[in-house]
Amino acid sequence: MSEARAERLAALVAEEGLDALIVGDLVNPGDSGPDAIANVRWLTGFAGTSGLAIVGPERREFLTDFRYAELAERRVGDAFERVIFDGPVFEELGRRLRGRVGFDPAATSVRNHRKLAAAVGDDVELVAAEGLVERLRRVKDADEVDAIAAASRLADEALEWLLERGIAGKTERRIAFELETRMRELGAQPSFPTIVASGPNGALPHAIPTDREVGPNELVTIDWGAKLDGYCSDGTRTFATGELDEELRSAYELVLRAQLAGVDAVAAGAHGREVDALSRGIIEEAGMGERFGHGLGHGVGLQVHEPPRLSKRSEDTLEPGNVVTVEPGVYVPGRFGIRIEDLVVVTAGEPKNLSGLPKELRVVS
Ligand code: ZN
Ligand code: ZN
């Protein structure tokens, strides 16, 4: 697997006129979190905190330190020449690099760029080459889609478990804790900090759970995801805790209509701006356009937010193998918020929805 991926990356590197590309985290090399290591993980299978790869037409090198020698042997295997370096990583890079070498400015700090330039000296021309691995990562292969689908199923199962036990009378923080604990019991981790936003807190799209107790006859938005074998899920449902007034019910129906239209529009060849506009148009027609202030969706994979984007400013065109969220919302400050989010696979035909939970307004106690 990593051989084929490295080959495709090497072709891109050659296309860019580079002799080699440094893949990995040049902000905190040696102490990389899951997002920072995602490109290396996709390329090599390595998921530790210290890993860099050098890929060029004729070279596949993987650099790590003593702590990960064993893991690198198991995960990276022989597709890459494995280098266990001892000492500053930039000196090791300096010894290895020649010619035109790409680095990703989005994964490099100014300070470390300076260190790298000093280490490679005059023999090397450092060239900013942004997003080459991400460009490949956005098209998922069948195993990746399966991994995301499995994470999504697990997340759905955890949410059902939570809803059966009830949410009314619990604090938002308690609900988030129970849901995250359940995902861990089922063998996953949360793919991001769970959002539980009840009543007026729902108007904060990225609300942090508070000590507010969920009351009767209000809306509660839960945005949650599981991470399983490195792959993320992301979904949102908004529930009612009893009878709702007409304003809330019709706002829910509006968001649901916009969401269904958005999912239907997810197709190979569709532009990210087009899908966003189709769903957003429904909310705008109802006079609520200003209440929907974020993009319609984003790609999901090893990271919970990755390309392609569905938004007013998207530059992306959807391709089979993309996995994107569709998540319109309406937020009325001081009153309520509603968001409905599914995870959808772009195929050559009909979109494949990975989110299994119903979307009709559901009353939970
Ligand atoms: Zn979400
Ligand atoms: Zn999302």
Side-chain angles (χ1 to χ4, degrees), residues 22-29 32 35-37 39 52 90 103-110 112-113 129-131 134:
I22 306 168
V23 178
D25 175 23
L26 293 181
V27 176
N28 282 311
S32 307
D35 283 332
I37 208 75
N39 280 344
L52 292 174
F90 293 104
F103 70 96
D104 190 338
T108 308
S109 65
V110 173
N112 286 340
H113 182 268
E130 193 167 339
E134 282 87 346

Side-chain angles (χ1 to χ4, degrees), residues 192 195 223-224 234-236 298 305 325 327 339 341:
F192 57 89
I195 294 170
D223 188 344
W224 85 116
D234 184 11
T236 306
H298 52 86
H305 294 124
T325 68
E327 49 179 309
R339 181 167 63 257
E341 174 180 27

